[in-house]
Amino acid sequence: MASEAAATIRASLIECLRGILSTSQEIRSAAEEQLKMLETTDEFGVYLTEFTVSPNSDLAGRQLASVLLKQYVEAHWCSRSEKFRQPVAPAQAKSVIREVLPRGLADSSSKVRNSVAYAVSKIASFDFPEDWPNLFEWLIAALNDANPDLVHGAMRVLHETCNELSEEQLGIVTPVLMPILYRVYVGQETYGLKTRARSVEILTTIVQSVEYFSLRTDHRTLLTPQLPQFVKDLAKGLAVPLGENSDIGLRKQIFRALGAIVQVFPKLVRQLFSEIIPPLWHVLTSSADVYVRDVVNGDGGNDDDVDSDGVLRTLPILRFRTLEIFTTCTEGRRLPLSRS
């Protein structure tokens, strides 16, 4: 009987997904009402997860299921959620979802991967490390996988998760992540530009978190074993010509990271002064002609250069950050943390 009931709920869920995608307003409305009733069943989240990660199901339905799954996690995973509403997902259903959901990080659809990554990171904010102790081990193993989609998905989770780290989680995650982030950044033969840029973006988030929690505890020692070499290679990255191994998106993330590091680790930056300034000076002087052409004599350049992840990649911003960091390094002043 239980298996028959489960099959009925699964079939009803698939029918609802098809209905919501219908061009008929009447069919969509009926499907949405049916979905609200299914949402209160114990296995609703499990079936959504299984459908989302099923490569044999239609893509439009899986994309919709992945969005609904994000909403389900926000609403029913934990009573501490800002969007919580009854009922709370059962413990057994949560266990199954934690086991199955990461498979979606290797999906060939970036929309599915991004939705799955968000759901995984949201669950992690509630369950890591107590109820999901092996999550970061799994993510680190994924970064070593030959599948570029899985690597992208894992980096997306790390990025989303690091934005919501508690102070306790920061202390657990940072020593493990720092060597991985460095390896991804310098691994230009293995990782693509977007993945490398994401690793630098995560580094910036961690540095900013260290700054935020420093009012209570000094967490800077969590980064110091890896950070000096990381800073040196970030600076070197500014001298790499734009092309196969560097682009404006990566440079923007390097500037943001250096700006945050100058804020939190001014002593380290002064120690590495001679290695940081030459690449910065090179970027500043080499972009002078472009600045005059686009900003002084032109229309300000193209400020709408946005990649598929929504990352703004504009030369004026990079020139501004170059001047900020250069001024701070030469005058010893502290930078305000910038998220531009």
Side-chain angles (χ1 to χ4, degrees), residues 83-130:
K83 298 182 179 181
F84 173 74
R85 62 179 185 271
Q86 294 288 352
V88 178
Q92 179 60 32
K94 289 182 178 180
S95 178
V96 174
I97 291 171
R98 286 192 296 262
E99 179 68 25
V100 174
L101 185 58
R103 300 175 195 168
L105 296 175
D107 201 275
S108 59
S109 166
S110 61
K111 291 182 178 179
V112 172
R113 284 200 308 274
N114 290 343
S115 293
V116 169
Y118 179 86
V120 170
S121 65
K122 185 56 96 174
I123 293 171
S125 70
F126 299 126
D127 291 4
F128 177 80
E130 289 83 1

